[in-house]
Amino acid sequence: IIVMVYVDDIISFAYGPNGTTSNADNIAALDALSAELHAAFETRDLGNIEHYLGLNIKVVQYNTSIGNTSYASDIAALLGVTDAKAVTTPIPASVDLTADVAPDDKVLSNPTQYRSGVGMVQHMQTTFRPDLCVSATLLARHMQAPHTSHMA
């Protein structure tokens, strides 16, 4: 049995000898663990997990897959870039996000959207996308006064 605890959330699952997650012994062991936790703490069973901390979790028979497509889609929707194309490199090496911006580049009138988006990207790189570390750092440098070019 594997038990993961994050603040006030507990996720438990068990793998059988062949890596299976759905045999009778596993279910009985998880039910016993749930009963013990419920006896010791005020808990409630929310059923099978589907989403947790921005992750999509899908269990199909003997396979468990974890992804972040819905969280990435949420970021794209927040920033208004849902029609953007996916790329293999999170931020091209040629991009220069310096504080020196063009004279016609304006400071965003409401930087909240930018800051929220950058915070979400930082969460994503910290939890399950370390390849976004450089991108998140470059974007975070402009949280104080982001310009329209930083949203492009």
Side-chain angles (χ1 to χ4, degrees), residues 9-80:
D9 295 326
I10 299 173
I11 298 172
S12 59
F13 56 97
Y15 282 99
N18 296 327
T20 61
T21 57
S22 60
N23 68 30
D25 291 338
N26 290 346
I27 294 169
L30 289 173
D31 287 344
L33 173 66
S34 182
E36 285 184 44
L37 288 171
H38 189 66
F41 306 101
E42 183 180 329
T43 65
R44 58 189 166 128
D45 189 346
L46 299 176
N48 292 336
I49 189 168
E50 294 179 7
H51 303 283
Y52 187 69
L53 295 175
L55 296 173
N56 299 331
I57 301 169
K58 187 174 184 178
V59 179
V60 178
Q61 198 168 9
Y62 301 112
N63 297 315
T64 302
S65 64
I66 299 175
N68 64 344
T69 52
S70 70
Y71 192 75
S73 296
D74 291 346
I75 296 172
L78 173 75
L79 299 177

